[in-house]
Amino acid sequence: TVTAVYEQVELEETIGDVTWRYVVDDGVATIVGADNATDPEDGVTGEVAIPAMLGGHRVVAVADYAFAWLWADAVTLPEGIEFIGNYAFFNCTGLQSLVIPASVIEIGDSAFAACWALKAVCYAGDVPDVGESIYGWADEEGTTLDDILTTYVREGTSGWGEVPGEW
């Protein structure tokens, strides 16, 4: 019996001040990380817009831990992203707001855990499948992100039950 084993090659593309790291499978891209193009030791800061295309491939996923410890305060996910991996934005301590596009159908376990500055998450589509505790766990005082976070959903979407606001 012959077993074929292959390793995905990590690719890079620099757009503006960010070098995006990604892999391609079946013609679509999964982002596995990002670095400051000028000085990788500085990390990626400020407002970050995840590209919809990399290397001519449609970006459909953010990998597990892809942006863990990212220093950005705002992240824009493009329409077309379908999957957000486990711990994808873990401990992004400056992240204050996030818009989840309607194309997202699955969010992994603890995807936004320990993002203590996160105040608002806006969902543009119907309820995605979500992993366990996507906002993580309680801090030392017993406060969870669910306690301090405001969730907004786009008017006309389904599956949400009661939420604080629509837009």
Side-chain angles (χ1 to χ4, degrees):
T1 303
V2 176
T3 303
V5 177
Y6 74 96
E7 186 175 315
Q8 288 183 316
V9 176
E10 190 173 292
L11 305 168
E12 291 185 352
E13 181 174 337
T14 299
I15 301 172
D17 293 337
V18 180
T19 298
W20 299 96
R21 293 181 284 113
Y22 64 100
V23 295
V24 176
D25 189 22
D26 288 333
V28 294
T30 296
I31 293 182
V32 297
D35 296 308
N36 182 314
T38 308
D39 185 356
E41 298 298 316
D42 281 347
V44 178
T45 60
E47 294 184 15
V48 177
I50 295 174
M53 301 283 288
L54 284 169
H57 302 280
R58 188 170 60 93
V59 175
V60 297
V62 175
D64 295 354
Y65 293 95
F67 298 112
W69 300 280
L70 184 73
W71 299 343
D73 47 80
V75 174
T76 301
L77 297 165
E79 189 63 42
I81 292 279
E82 297 174 5
F83 305 98
I84 298 172
N86 299 328
Y87 296 92
F89 292 89
F90 173 74
N91 204 29
C92 292
T93 56
L95 187 60
Q96 298 174 31
S97 64
L98 186 63
V99 176
I100 308 293
S103 57
V104 171
I105 58 175
E106 185 177 328
I107 300 174
D109 296 345
S110 299
F112 308 105
C115 295
W116 292 108
L118 192 58
K119 301 293 182 232
V121 176
C122 304
Y123 290 91
D126 295 339
V127 172
D129 289 332
V130 295
E132 186 174 323
S133 188
I134 65 170
Y135 298 118
W137 46 86
D139 65 10
E140 295 164 352
E141 289 82 35
T143 303
T144 67
L145 274 174
D146 285 324
D147 296 330
I148 59 176
L149 184 66
T150 302
T151 301
Y152 297 93
V153 299
R154 182 154 329 249
E155 188 175 350
T157 58
S158 65
W160 289 103
E162 289 187 39
V163 292
E166 292 186 333
W167 99 95

